[in-house]
């Protein structure tokens, strides 16, 4: 098993030597490697069993460092970066040649983000290259929000796991790109659509597709537990599946539901941020229960509820 610890110097040294290190971020744990080292990047695809057509996000410690590997930073992107970096925002921007094609699956734009986590910030400051970091889970499975989630699934494959506690946002970054003048959300995530719009005006949300060449990682089926999951209006789903051994993922607590066993509540009070933070650990917990089906309640459709429903929907395909 890989070592888990708090040693930032060891993490830096491992990355310099072309190794793989799981790193904490405010969204989910990432699986990091030197973004300028194609061999190290290739190992990430192998360890995650990720198809090479699915590009990786490059993580740096600031806009200035990012400008070293970007062709240009449009005004809207700069506005978003100054408002939300460090934070759960990923920008799609035209790359320079120093970023290997393997990182972007041959596309001209690279995804960039500056994570908001003290230990990872210190790590990124102490190395002179950016890191690629997909979520530290096998391809298609639920993302990890603690170091033990990483250890459990990828423990034998990594060189080091930097433990930075539980991820406080708990859902992946919001990915934003620019198609001419139109701002497009490629993936809903930890930065609310409303927050993005407050800085640059109306945005379009890209619909998911199982064959969208622009954003291959936006696959319809993703973020899935191994148990079958269905989402929707909870009472009618329970009625329809009353003959099955199901578990329930509830958005919030309601007294009439308290009799059911095998249920996990995302937020007693129905707070969207708390629910997002707990979502992936809840899916893992239900996945480990002795049940055949997960019935999931939809979150309200605003703020982080959009990202929660997006993940549940894709987990249900
Ligand atoms: O919060 C996050 O973004 C986490 C943490 C670790 O930073 N990372 C993460 O990475 O979620 P990953 O690889 O699990 O998801 C990245 C998504 C994929 O859907 C991928 O297709 C998309 O970003 N992506 C990456 N580069 C892209 C590009 N150049 N163009 C379009 N989509 C891109
Ligand atoms: Mg992922």
């Amino acid at each position: 098993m890989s070592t888990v610890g708090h040693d930032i110097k060891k993490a830096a040294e491992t990355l310099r030597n072309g190794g793989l290190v799981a790193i904490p971020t405010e969204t989910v744990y990432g699986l990091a490697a030197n973004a300028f080292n194609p061999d190290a990047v290739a190992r990430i695809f192998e360890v995650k069993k990720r198809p090479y057509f699915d590009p990786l996000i490059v993580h740096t410690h600031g806009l200035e460092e990012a400008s070293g590997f970007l062709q240009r930073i449009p005004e809207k992107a700069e506005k978003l970066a100054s408002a939300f970096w460090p934070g759960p925002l990923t920008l799609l921007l035209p790359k320079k040649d120093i970023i290997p094609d393997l990182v972007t699956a041959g596309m001209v734009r690279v995804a960039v983000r500056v994570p908001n986590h003290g230990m990872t910030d210190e790590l990124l400051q102490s190395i002179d290259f950016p890191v690629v970091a997909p979520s530290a889970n096998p391809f298609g499975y639920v993302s990890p929000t603690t170091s033990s989630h990483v250890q459990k699934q990828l423990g034998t494959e990594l060189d080091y796991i930097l433990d930075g506690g539980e991820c406080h946002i708990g859902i992946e970054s919001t990915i934003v790109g620019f198609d001419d003048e139109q701002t497009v959300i490629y993936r809903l995530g930890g930065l609310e659509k409303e927050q993005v719009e407050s800085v640059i005006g109306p945005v379009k949300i890209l619909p998911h597709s199982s064959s969208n060449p622009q954003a291959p990682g936006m696959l319809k089926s993703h973020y899935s537990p191994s148990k079958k999951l269905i989402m929707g209006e909870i009472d009618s789903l329970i009625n329809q599946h009353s003959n099955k051994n199901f578990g329930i993922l509830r958005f919030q607590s309601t007294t009439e539901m308290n009799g059911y066993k095998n249920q996990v509540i995302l937020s007693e009070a129905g707070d969207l941020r708390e629910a997002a933070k707990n979502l992936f650990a809840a899916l893992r917990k239900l996945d480990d229960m002795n049940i055949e089906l997960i019935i999931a309640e939809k979150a309200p459709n605003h703020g982080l509820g959009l990202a929660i429903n997006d993940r549940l929907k894709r987990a249900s395909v």
Side-chain angles (χ1 to χ4, degrees):
M1 287 303 240
S2 30
T3 327
V4 182
H6 303 92
D7 190 344
I8 295 171
K9 283 204 180 96
K10 179 173 174 173
E13 202 45 40
T14 308
L15 290 168
R16 276 186 211 107
N17 293 333
L20 302 192
V21 178
I23 55 166
T25 83
E26 79 282 29
T27 59
V28 300
Y29 272 75
L31 175 50
N34 179 348
F36 294 158
N37 177 340
D39 292 335
V41 174
R43 236 186 102 201
I44 293 228
F45 285 93
E46 280 162 32
V47 164
K48 273 188 64 98
K49 300 193 170 51
R50 180 176 177 119
Y52 284 101
F53 63 71
D54 191 3
L56 304 173
I57 300 178
V58 173
H59 296 59
T60 79
H61 60 82
L63 187 59
E64 206 182 305
E65 197 210 14
S67 60
F69 57 80
L70 297 173
Q71 297 272 0
R72 60 183 182 281
I73 303 173
E75 200 188 324
K76 279 184 181 167
E78 211 170 313
K79 278 191 180 157
L80 287 175
S82 28
F84 301 117
W85 278 354
L89 163 74
T90 292
L91 293 169
L92 297 178
L93 297 169
K95 79 175 186 80
K96 284 187 182 158
D97 290 345
I98 190 167
I99 298 287
D101 286 336
L102 189 56
V103 169
T104 62
M107 289 188 280
V108 294
R109 288 189 301 187
V110 61
V112 195
R113 107 172 180 92
V114 177
N116 185 14
H117 190 289
M119 287 169 81
T120 290
D121 182 55
E122 206 179 314
L123 171 65
L124 291 172
Q125 304 257 14
S126 68
I127 51 181
D128 57 5
F129 50 84
V131 299
V132 288
S135 52
N137 51 280
F139 182 70
Y141 193 70
V142 180
S143 294
T145 53
T146 65
S147 62
S148 55
H149 291 162
V150 181
Q151 174 80 325
K152 200 170 158 192
Q153 290 190 301
L154 298 177
T156 55
E157 319 254 13
L158 309 184
D159 300 306
Y160 190 58
I161 298 175
L162 187 62
D163 181 8
E166 193 189 346
C167 302
H168 75 264
I169 289 183
I171 203 158
E172 300 87 348
S173 60
T174 299
I175 303 181
V176 176
F178 309 92
D179 296 346
D180 299 319
E181 280 308 292
Q182 176 69 59
T183 308
V184 179
I185 291 188
Y186 281 75
R187 177 179 71 183
L188 290 157
L191 182 69
E192 295 163 8
K193 170 178 180 267
E194 294 87 338
Q195 288 176 286
V196 176
E197 291 186 324
S198 72
V199 174
I200 47 164
V203 303
K204 187 175 121 189
I205 298 177
L206 195 80
H208 301 134
S209 144
S210 47
S211 62
N212 185 339
Q214 270 298 301
M218 306 288 305
L219 300 176
K220 240 178 175 169
S221 169
H222 214 71
Y223 309 103
S224 307
S226 44
K227 301 266 160 68
K228 184 177 164 59
L229 181 146
I230 45 176
M231 77 178 293
E233 211 273 301
I234 202 106
D235 294 327
S236 65
L237 287 178
I238 288 174
N239 282 335
Q240 281 168 43
H241 297 278
S242 55
N243 60 337
K244 297 209 179 86
N245 176 16
F246 57 80
I248 307 171
L249 178 65
R250 275 163 64 195
F251 170 63
Q252 64 183 327
S253 171
T254 50
T255 41
E256 62 270 23
M257 293 282 305
N258 287 346
Y260 288 97
K261 55 175 191 170
N262 292 333
Q263 58 173 310
V264 182
I265 298 167
L266 291 179
S267 166
E268 289 283 340
D271 177 77
L272 284 165
R273 289 188 185 191
E274 187 184 17
K277 179 175 175 232
N278 292 331
L279 177 66
F280 289 147
L283 286 172
R284 283 171 187 259
K285 199 166 165 188
L286 283 154
D287 220 8
D288 288 341
M289 286 179 183
N290 184 20
I291 54 173
E292 55 178 311
L293 174 72
I294 301 169
I295 290 179
E297 179 177 22
K298 253 183 108 169
N301 238 339
H302 60 85
L304 291 185
L306 294 178
I308 294 172
N309 290 337
D310 167 83
R311 299 302 186 272
L312 288 175
K313 193 166 166 204
R314 287 201 263 168
S316 72
V317 176

